[in-house]
Amino acid sequence: MAQEKNEKEVESGPTSVPKAMPVLPLRNSVFFPRQVMPLTVGRESSIKVIEEASQGEGLLVIVAQTDESIEKPKETDIHWFGTLAKILKTFTLADGTRSVLVQGIRRVQLISILHAEPYIRAVVREREDIQSEGMEIEAMATNLKSLFKKAVELSPNLNDEQLSIILNINEPDAIADIIASALPVSVPEKQQVLESVDVRKRLELTMLILTKLVQKLELGTKIQSEVQEEINKSQREYYLREQMKAIKKELGEDEGNVDQNELKKRIDDARLPEEALKVVTREAKKLSQMNQASPEYTVTRNYLDWILDLPWSVSTTDTLDIGKAREVLDRDHYGLQEVKKRILEYLAVRKLKKDMRGPILVFVGPPGVGKTSLGRSIANALGRKFVRISLGGVHDEAEIRGHRRTYIGALPGRIIQGLKKAGSINPVFVLDEIDKVGQDFRGDPSAALLEVLDPEQNFSFSDHYLEVPFDLSKVMFIATANMIESVPPALRDRMEIIEIPSYVVDEKLHIARRFLLPKQLEEHGLKPDQLEIDDETLRAIIEGYTREAGVRNLERRIAGIARGAVREIAEGTRERVVVKKDSLTRYLGQQKFFPEVSERINRAGVVVGLAWTPVGGDILFIEATQMEGNGKLILTGQLGDVMKESAQAALSYIAANARKLGISPDFRSKTDIHVHVPAGAIPKDGPSAGITMLTALTSLLTGRLVRNDLAMTGEITLRGAVLPIGGVKEKVLAAHRAGVKTIILPERNRIDVDEIPKAAFEGGHTIQFHFVKEMSQVLDLALLSEEDSRKQEMSRLDLQPLAIN
């Protein structure tokens, strides 16, 4: 019934289109009215559509598929707006497919599908165009022709024949249809134009699609032009290079020959050892047979460049004038007599024995005492090149020995790189911070240094990259370290250790006057007469604003004064700045450090000890107090196990000798004792505070005060013997800086004091040393009598003794 109703509706319409038509789905294309197009029909359903249409008037409806991949389209797989077409001619090909020439007549719309098997048959109706007239429509049609002409010029898919057809058409609707059918655009865009019954809208849509296409074509042409220009340029350059090669070849100046000739000349000039010459000759021959575009060519060439750039036989002449060398060393550094003595001895031997191997020294001392700069001064004194590498934080063995050539970006190690940079086989080579070398899964750099720093082995040092022995025996290696203990024993054994002690106040004063102040005046653009700082002021800066073993902070403080002076001169408030002791606060702020030894030793149970640190010596206050309790010993101040044991040993000694010391034998049962070492955030350990702790506890329990100008260090036994300790030089210099006048040391450390240069104490206060074997000697020297203790206590409280007549 539904089919009959639809057929009646079509019959009653104002159109002469048949009421039911066979439908031919078209893949990947849209068929327009007025278009003539050959179609190749291969699907069985499509062949039946052609056969049925051919039996009648040759009419059929052509629609576009929504998905071209579907082999048997159904009503949901086609667009319901198509074109009524007439078959003009049919051909049957050899493979059974049909070739059909069809012509579009008018737009039609499917109303309903009658059946989809064996082919689609549908009820259709004609859709008449909604015509528009006027100058605007004519202008749009003319603009479309112009755009299409431009598209033909730019697109390889459009031709002049299509343009000729368009130019000869005047109907706007026909112009839009024919242009849309010819454009290489997508099916949805073409379908949109086909479904536009309104001629004005059809023209607008066609114009929009054509404008986009022209813009894409113009952009593509521009890109193509740029690419072609670049290609032409490359081809031209290639052609010119080839011509140049040909010309050079004719002249006997081939690039490969020139390169080989240059390489041969460099090999002859390098004066290589026999083994290195053999390797270089072999690699050069291999290089001559390689293509220059090969990656292996670059690797081999870099290898040869490295070998030929090394100073195999280039050396500087040593300045063997010992007097001049001494003058250079004294000019650059104040003090450091032991180091200067060692260098002058080397020069003296070198003067007599020309083939002497370079010494391997290690300067050990706190930061800021001039270890690294001393290496540069030695190079200047000897007239040698200077090389410095920092080993701090190095974890990779390849940093010393280099990488194998098989790795991409391989390079020699830092030793070989430094020698290439120096351009000499006998430089002064400083290995800075050797005590901070680390190790991980990449190897142990300190193990690689064993060969470098061994005078018996380094004449044939092997770098992994070079794979050729290199003679390092003429290099003067100088290592620097803050702590020699962290250097591996095997490496330490290969070096001559020279300890550089902390500076005392008088040495710092000389350094500031001779080196630091002139340097800061120059760096801040000041003339010598524009800033004046006298010795008293410099001493006040050293004692009140710095507390260090070296002079780095002292230099910073002098720089701060120089900046302040520059500002005052620049502002016009002064032409010349004279800095006195009482005006330091204007430039450096309030005083940072105070001599507190005598101020803190004003009660029983407080003693000054001496400690060693990686950055020099320091003083250590040990305080003890007691309270009611049951004999507990409380220890605070981040003390290590050894230091805690020293406190236990000291308390046991006092308990065993209580009557002799004038202490109640039952003191442990009635009191708790608390020992504290201030600067509690800093870990402390070691046995050298033993006599200090024992003295503090004895002072506390007897009520006798300790002398306020005294410091001590030493290990104790339960029997009261005083054992030797280490770091004497640093500890003594720390006591000197703190203003201590008397030091108690173990007897067996007397030799260490004798090694401290007497010049260290010149210009400052003198220190009296007491050397002891037993704790009884320590207590006799350190503790005041009861009467003197009472006077010192009253002096602290500012009390006068009561006179009774």
Side-chain angles (χ1 to χ4, degrees):
M1 293 295 291
Q3 180 177 333
E4 292 176 2
K5 180 180 178 183
N6 288 335
E7 289 178 355
K8 288 179 182 178
E9 286 179 358
V10 175
E11 287 174 358
S12 63
T15 171
S16 59
V17 177
K19 60 183 177 182
M21 301 287 295
V23 178
L24 178 66
L26 200 60
R27 297 188 192 193
N28 202 24
S29 184
V30 176
F31 191 66
F32 283 85
R34 302 179 183 82
Q35 184 179 1
V36 177
M37 183 170 67
L39 300 176
T40 300
V41 182
R43 289 186 288 196
E44 184 179 346
S45 58
S46 300
I47 292 173
K48 289 184 179 180
V49 169
I50 298 302
E51 289 176 350
E52 182 184 338
S54 299
Q55 290 175 3
E57 298 177 1
L59 297 176
L60 72 160
V61 175
I62 299 177
V63 296
Q65 285 186 208
T66 56
D67 185 355
E68 62 176 284
S69 63
I70 296 175
E71 186 65 27
K72 293 183 178 181
K74 298 180 181 178
E75 56 186 69
T76 56
D77 303 322
I78 60 174
H79 290 284
W80 282 44
F81 210 106
T83 302
L84 178 66
K86 183 174 179 62
I87 298 174
L88 300 179
K89 202 164 187 178
T90 305
F91 305 94
T92 303
L93 303 178
D95 58 356
T97 58
R98 302 281 182 93
S99 180
V100 184
L101 186 65
V102 292
Q103 179 180 11
I105 300 174
R106 62 178 64 87
R107 286 171 170 77
V108 294
Q109 184 176 7
L110 306 188
I111 303 302
S112 63
I113 303 296
L114 298 177
H115 59 75
E117 294 291 343
Y119 56 85
I120 299 175
R121 186 178 183 83
V123 178
V124 299
R125 73 176 178 193
E126 181 183 350
R127 297 297 303 270
E128 293 288 348
D129 289 341
I130 302 173
Q131 297 291 341
S132 299
E133 296 181 354
M135 292 187 64
E136 188 178 353
I137 298 299
E138 292 177 6
M140 293 172 71
T142 304
N143 190 32
L144 263 179
K145 289 182 180 181
S146 300
L147 281 172
F148 188 73
K149 182 178 179 182
K150 186 179 288 187
V152 171
E153 293 172 355
L154 297 172
S155 175
N157 298 320
L158 302 174
N159 53 55
D160 293 336
E161 185 179 346
Q162 292 170 316
L163 176 60
S164 178
I165 294 172
I166 295 296
L167 294 176
N168 290 323
I169 297 175
N170 296 321
E171 297 85 357
D173 57 339
I175 291 172
D177 283 344
I178 296 175
I179 288 178
S181 67
L183 294 180
V185 296
S186 65
V187 170
E189 288 179 303
K190 287 188 176 185
Q191 184 67 29
Q192 197 175 4
V193 175
L194 179 65
E195 294 180 5
S196 299
V197 180
D198 189 334
V199 174
R200 174 188 289 275
K201 186 177 179 182
R202 191 185 309 164
L203 288 167
E204 289 175 350
L205 279 171
T206 307
M207 193 179 300
L208 178 63
I209 294 170
L210 186 55
T211 302
K212 287 182 180 178
L213 178 64
V214 169
Q215 288 176 348
K216 287 182 182 177
L217 292 172
E218 286 176 341
L219 183 59
T221 303
K222 181 183 177 184
I223 294 171
Q224 181 65 25
S225 175
E226 291 174 352
V227 171
Q228 189 64 40
E229 185 180 341
E230 192 65 31
I231 291 173
N232 291 339
K233 181 182 176 183
S234 300
Q235 288 176 339
R236 181 172 175 272
E237 289 177 355
Y238 174 76
Y239 178 69
L240 289 174
R241 284 197 196 94
E242 291 300 315
Q243 279 187 323
M244 191 179 294
K245 284 182 183 178
I247 292 170
K248 284 185 175 181
K249 193 171 184 180
E250 287 294 323
L251 294 173
E253 298 178 359
D254 184 37
E255 186 176 340
N257 292 335
V258 171
D259 199 33
Q260 287 298 317
N261 293 336
E262 180 191 347
L263 198 59
K264 187 175 184 304
K265 185 176 183 304
R266 289 179 64 191
I267 293 172
D268 294 338
D269 294 343
R271 291 184 292 167
L272 301 171
E274 183 179 350
E275 188 172 350
L277 181 62
K278 191 182 299 182
V279 172
V280 167
T281 304
R282 183 181 69 243
E283 293 295 325
K285 184 179 180 182
K286 189 192 303 181
L287 188 73
S288 66
Q289 299 170 355
M290 288 183 190
N291 185 348
Q292 292 188 6
S294 168
E296 187 66 24
Y297 182 90
T298 304
V299 172
T300 305
R301 183 57 199 259
N302 287 341
Y303 173 71
L304 288 172
D305 285 341
W306 265 104
I307 288 187
L308 296 175
D309 286 342
L310 289 174
W312 295 91
S313 56
V314 180
S315 63
T316 56
T317 303
D318 285 347
T319 303
L320 299 178
D321 187 338
I322 297 177
K324 186 178 179 182
R326 182 189 292 110
E327 182 183 334
V328 172
L329 292 172
D330 288 340
R331 183 193 64 203
D332 292 348
H333 285 81
Y334 180 81
L336 306 179
Q337 297 305 321
E338 185 178 350
V339 182
K340 295 175 182 178
K341 174 174 170 285
R342 180 64 184 86
I343 300 305
L344 296 176
E345 288 172 351
Y346 167 75
L347 281 177
V349 177
R350 184 86 172 79
K351 196 170 184 177
L352 300 179
K353 184 175 175 57
K354 303 297 183 184
D355 59 346
M356 177 190 177
R357 291 176 180 174
I360 296 171
L361 311 176
V362 56
F363 296 156
V364 181
V369 295
K371 298 185 295 297
T372 305
S373 62
L374 188 58
R376 190 180 297 276
S377 295
I378 291 170
N380 293 335
L382 296 176
R384 294 190 179 190
K385 300 291 183 67
F386 175 76
V387 184
R388 171 191 168 272
I389 63 172
S390 177
L391 298 179
V394 172
H395 290 77
D396 191 353
E397 182 188 353
E399 293 281 342
I400 306 299
R401 284 196 178 275
H403 300 83
R404 300 284 182 187
R405 273 193 291 159
T406 51
Y407 296 106
I408 296 173
L411 285 172
R414 292 195 187 187
I415 304 297
I416 297 297
Q417 290 183 38
L419 289 169
K420 177 187 174 183
K421 181 180 176 182
S424 164
I425 199 173
N426 63 337
V428 173
F429 206 120
V430 173
L431 304 171
D432 223 355
E433 309 292 353
I434 198 171
D435 56 329
K436 297 174 180 62
V437 173
Q439 59 177 312
D440 59 13
F441 64 93
R442 293 168 292 186
D444 185 359
S446 62
L449 285 170
L450 292 175
E451 182 183 3
V452 175
L453 300 180
D454 190 343
E456 301 300 324
Q457 299 180 34
N458 64 8
F459 64 89
S460 61
F461 171 68
S462 177
D463 185 276
H464 288 160
Y465 182 81
L466 297 183
E467 296 178 336
V468 175
F470 193 91
D471 185 5
L472 299 179
S473 63
K474 295 180 176 62
V475 179
M476 184 174 188
F477 285 104
I478 297 175
T480 71
N482 297 130
M483 298 175 59
I484 197 64
E485 288 77 15
S486 60
V487 178
L491 187 58
R492 197 187 318 161
D493 184 59
R494 284 163 165 78
M495 299 183 291
E496 182 179 343
I497 300 172
I498 298 178
E499 293 188 3
I500 299 180
S502 308
Y503 291 124
V504 294
V505 174
D506 191 58
E507 288 178 320
K508 290 182 182 180
L509 185 62
H510 279 83
I511 292 169
R513 175 62 62 197
R514 289 177 51 183
F515 303 105
L516 304 184
L517 185 56
K519 177 183 175 183
Q520 292 305 318
L521 289 175
E522 182 180 351
E523 289 188 358
H524 290 83
L526 291 169
K527 296 178 181 177
D529 60 345
Q530 287 181 301
L531 176 61
E532 180 182 329
I533 307 176
D534 58 25
D535 288 354
E536 183 184 3
T537 306
L538 286 174
R539 188 178 292 274
I541 296 171
I542 294 167
E543 294 178 345
Y545 290 88
T546 65
R547 182 167 287 177
E548 58 179 341
V551 291
R552 284 205 181 106
N553 281 327
L554 176 58
E555 184 173 6
R556 293 188 187 105
R557 298 294 176 262
I558 294 174
I561 294 174
R563 288 194 298 271
V566 168
R567 179 180 173 183
E568 290 178 357
I569 293 171
E571 289 175 348
T573 57
R574 295 189 182 191
E575 293 183 359
R576 181 170 178 270
V577 178
V578 179
V579 182
K580 295 293 184 181
K581 180 179 179 180
D582 54 3
S583 62
L584 282 177
T585 53
R586 185 164 76 245
Y587 301 99
L588 302 179
Q590 294 299 320
Q591 184 174 338
K592 305 293 189 300
F593 304 103
F594 299 90
E596 56 181 351
V597 174
S598 60
E599 295 177 6
R600 291 180 66 170
I601 309 299
N602 52 22
R603 296 184 183 219
V606 182
V607 188
V608 177
L610 297 176
W612 178 91
T613 70
V615 295
D618 201 357
I619 62 171
L620 200 68
F621 289 93
I622 294 182
E623 302 174 351
T625 189
Q626 61 182 336
M627 61 215 80
E628 290 186 7
N630 53 9
K632 285 193 297 185
L633 176 62
I634 304 167
L635 302 170
T636 57
Q638 282 232 54
L639 308 184
D641 291 339
V642 176
M643 207 163 180
K644 290 177 181 178
E645 289 169 2
S646 296
Q648 294 281 0
L651 193 59
S652 297
Y653 174 83
I654 293 172
N657 298 274
R659 294 187 185 279
K660 189 186 299 184
L661 297 172
I663 301 170
S664 174
D666 60 348
F667 75 93
R668 298 195 69 176
S669 62
K670 297 178 180 180
T671 59
D672 289 343
I673 295 177
H674 185 170
V675 177
H676 177 67
V677 184
I682 303 172
K684 311 166 192 74
D685 202 7
S688 64
I691 67 171
T692 317
M693 287 187 168
L694 195 149
T695 304
L697 290 171
T698 305
S699 171
L700 171 70
L701 295 171
T702 60
R704 296 166 61 187
L705 272 63
V706 178
R707 290 173 53 182
N708 58 12
D709 63 346
L710 176 140
M712 62 184 70
T713 180
E715 184 180 357
I716 61 166
T717 68
L718 286 175
R719 303 297 179 187
V722 180
L723 303 181
I725 41 79
V728 172
K729 185 184 296 183
E730 288 78 9
K731 293 176 180 179
V732 169
L733 293 176
H736 186 273
R737 286 198 301 271
V740 172
K741 297 179 181 178
T742 306
I743 299 178
I744 297 176
L745 293 173
E747 175 65 35
R748 287 166 60 184
N749 285 118
R750 185 188 294 270
I751 189 172
D752 296 312
V753 174
D754 293 339
E755 291 179 358
I756 301 176
K758 297 295 183 281
F761 306 112
E762 291 177 1
H765 64 272
T766 58
I767 293 181
Q768 183 179 7
F769 293 95
H770 293 281
F771 301 98
V772 297
K773 296 180 179 179
E774 299 285 339
M775 267 311 302
S776 58
Q777 296 175 276
V778 175
L779 297 177
D780 289 342
L781 290 167
L783 297 179
L784 297 174
S785 64
E786 293 182 4
E787 183 179 350
D788 290 339
S789 298
R790 190 161 48 252
K791 288 179 181 178
Q792 186 166 313
E793 180 72 15
M794 292 177 69
S795 175
R796 178 179 70 84
L797 299 174
D798 198 19
L799 296 175
Q800 297 297 326
L802 182 63
I804 301 175
N805 295 325

